[in-house]
Amino acid sequence: MRDLTQGSIPKHLISLAVPIGIGMLFQMLYVLIDLYFVSRLGDAAIAGVGAAGNLQFLVMAMSQVLAVGGMALIAQACGRKDAGDANRVFNQSLLLAVLAALATLIAGYAFSGAYMRTIAADAASAAAGVAYLHAFLPGLALQFALATLGAALRGTGISKPTMLVQIVTVVLNAILAPVLIAGWLTGRAFGVAGAGWASSISIAVGVALMLLYFARLEHFVGVDARELRPQPPVWRRILAIGLPPGGEFALMFVFMGVTYWCLRGLGTDAQAGYGIGMRVMQAIFLPIMAIAFAVAPVAGQNVGAGRGDRVLATLRSAALIGSAAMFALTLLCQWQPQWFMRPFADNAQAAEVATGFLRIVSWNFVASGLIFTCSGMFQALGNTRPALYASASRLLTFALPAIWLSQHPGFELRQLWLLSVATTVLQALTVLWLLRRELRVRLSQIGAAV
């Protein structure tokens, strides 16, 4: 365990965020590597894999329920120096991860065809998406264990082992992707299904490595058969904190699904371009997401230790660092958005759509950074519902207007992107107001003025 209740707050944030960011970068390379090779298979393959990849947000939503709930409780237990409670939460999180993985496999194989037929632009895209999903579902199921193990380490203030495991798995995925997708060396190409199998195999190796680390090197928390029996009171504690962030990720799935549905009438180029643009934007968001992921354990340990002054210092430092980083990225996207599209130049029309998307939505990067930072603070405080309320507001401000716009003559991509910017800024203002209110209530108990 690393004690985050002493020493420099910015130093703690950066020392945690750098390994987290590197790990997330390599994790994002899963998608970009697959997308690079799949892009050689045509627009239907890109659109299908992009739409199928949207399902990953739903799995991320469910895995975040366990990861965030477990991480927050473990971080607070570390602040109290309560190893018994930390181990209890860790083992129950693992048990829930196994149950969620089984549910994902069953539901995924049962309903993936219906899902793809609903949102794909044509039959070829739907078929590509189903082939990809059937191969990727084992990897999606294993994401629960990978997220839970990594979050437990983050709660104890440790992030480097997770980064190293993610690097290994991405390198393995980079080796397997051309072999399985394009048939390099073997002469047997599996196409889009190969992309799914490459990711599934790599994630399985990652889970095995993380379990090995916990068995041999981690001492504060670890797998304990006595703690693996179902304990509903602990489940309620995990879910109380974890469900709202899971709901936030689920809403991202909804918003992306709505966007794909709105673009159906504009053809596969529009859907493919949006898919590329979203994956690139996710990569651009890695710095602020890393900072937000670091906020939760740093502030969480200080909440557990009753250090309200350091909780506030964590928020101020993270907001300043994150806003500066996102503003710099906004300027880069305004200056040279096409630079990010060079790997996808073979699909000129889709790349053009993605470039236009990135140029407009980059205006909400700073607002998005503040949203992520606030979400991390809510996790640390142990009340994540306000962040969910702010995200849910976009059902009214974005989803419904987007559907309405798409049904009118003259509907253009630019209208959808501008609507996204405006509603993201409104969400940021809402979540900042809610966080200030939550801080007033919570920190008054441990002696800090807001």
Side-chain angles (χ1 to χ4, degrees):
M1 186 194 84
R2 179 183 173 193
D3 189 354
L4 304 176
T5 63
Q6 306 293 329
S8 168
I9 292 290
K11 184 177 179 180
H12 286 324
L13 284 171
I14 294 172
S15 63
L16 273 174
V18 169
I20 290 171
I22 293 172
M24 293 173 71
L25 172 61
F26 276 85
Q27 187 177 28
M28 181 58 62
L29 287 176
Y30 271 125
V31 178
L32 296 181
I33 289 169
D34 290 348
L35 191 59
Y36 175 81
F37 285 102
V38 168
S39 67
R40 272 58 185 165
L41 304 178
D43 284 351
I46 298 175
V49 171
N54 185 33
L55 194 61
Q56 189 171 5
F57 270 91
L58 185 59
V59 172
M60 286 176 64
M62 294 185 292
S63 67
Q64 284 303 299
V65 171
L66 307 182
V68 171
M71 180 278 303
L73 291 173
I74 289 171
Q76 292 180 9
C78 288
R80 299 191 305 270
K81 306 298 188 289
D82 187 349
D85 189 49
N87 270 283
R88 191 174 305 112
V89 170
F90 171 67
N91 282 276
Q92 290 300 299
S93 296
L94 277 182
L95 177 59
L96 289 171
V98 172
L99 297 176
L102 292 174
T104 297
L105 289 173
I106 294 170
Y109 285 117
F111 300 111
S112 57
Y115 165 74
M116 285 306 307
R117 287 190 295 272
T118 300
I119 68 170
D122 52 40
S125 299
V130 170
Y132 174 73
L133 273 178
H134 281 185
F136 189 34
L137 275 169
L140 287 177
L142 288 171
Q143 289 279 14
F144 290 98
L146 198 61
T148 299
L149 293 167
L153 282 181
R154 187 156 46 93
T156 65
I158 299 171
S159 56
K160 288 183 180 178
T162 305
M163 173 196 74
L164 294 174
V165 167
Q166 287 172 328
I167 290 174
V168 169
T169 57
V170 171
V171 170
L172 178 59
N173 185 63
I175 295 171
L176 291 175
V179 173
L180 296 177
I181 296 172
W184 289 13
L185 302 178
T186 65
R188 185 174 181 182
F190 292 95
V192 292
W197 284 120
S199 294
S200 289
I201 294 169
S202 301
I203 293 170
V205 171
V207 171
L209 291 174
M210 288 293 284
L211 288 172
L212 184 63
Y213 175 85
F214 272 89
R216 295 192 174 183
L217 299 174
E218 174 56 36
H219 303 296
F220 191 75
V221 294
V223 179
D224 185 344
R226 295 169 299 178
E227 295 286 2
L228 285 172
R229 293 188 296 271
Q231 299 183 38
V234 181
W235 291 8
R236 286 193 290 271
R237 292 174 62 202
I238 294 171
L239 296 177
I241 297 175
L243 277 173
E248 288 186 74
F249 272 89
L251 284 171
M252 292 183 191
F253 168 79
V254 171
F255 297 141
M256 290 180 67
V258 166
T259 303
Y260 271 109
W261 187 87
C262 291
L263 297 178
R264 282 177 26 151
L266 300 179
T268 56
D269 284 335
Q271 286 194 334
Y274 173 66
I276 291 172
M278 280 298 300
R279 297 307 183 268
V280 170
M281 189 175 73
Q282 289 162 20
I284 291 172
F285 275 10
L286 289 180
I288 187 57
M289 291 182 69
I291 293 168
F293 272 55
V295 164
V298 174
Q301 284 198 21
N302 283 285
V303 167
R307 296 293 305 275
D309 56 328
R310 290 176 63 83
V311 174
L312 288 174
T314 302
L315 172 60
R316 296 188 186 107
S317 296
L320 180 61
I321 296 169
S323 295
M326 296 309 286
F327 182 68
L329 289 167
T330 299
L331 295 180
L332 178 59
C333 289
Q334 291 300 309
W335 175 48
Q336 289 288 341
Q338 63 272 15
W339 182 82
F340 296 99
M341 304 304 157
R342 287 178 182 173
F344 314 106
D346 288 353
N347 302 86
Q349 291 178 308
E352 183 179 353
V353 170
T355 300
F357 166 80
L358 199 59
R359 188 186 297 276
I360 294 176
V361 299
S362 60
W363 288 115
N364 68 22
F365 281 4
V366 172
S368 296
L370 291 171
I371 291 170
F372 284 122
T373 299
C374 291
S375 181
M377 285 299 302
F378 280 120
Q379 293 169 25
L381 294 170
N383 180 14
T384 50
R385 292 188 302 274
L388 175 61
Y389 300 153
S391 295
S393 69
R394 294 191 75 221
L395 290 170
L396 296 176
T397 61
F398 173 75
L400 292 179
I403 293 171
W404 180 81
L405 283 171
S406 69
Q407 301 304 300
H408 284 69
F411 170 62
E412 298 177 355
L413 293 172
R414 179 182 176 83
Q415 297 171 343
L416 205 57
W417 310 154
L418 289 172
L419 177 64
S420 178
V421 170
T423 56
T424 300
V425 171
L426 181 60
Q427 180 186 348
L429 294 174
T430 302
V431 79
L432 283 167
W433 175 73
L434 291 171
L435 178 60
R436 182 176 177 83
R437 191 175 68 170
E438 181 67 20
L439 285 168
R440 284 178 181 272
V441 173
R442 185 65 189 271
L443 297 189
S444 63
Q445 304 171 3
I446 52 179
V450 181

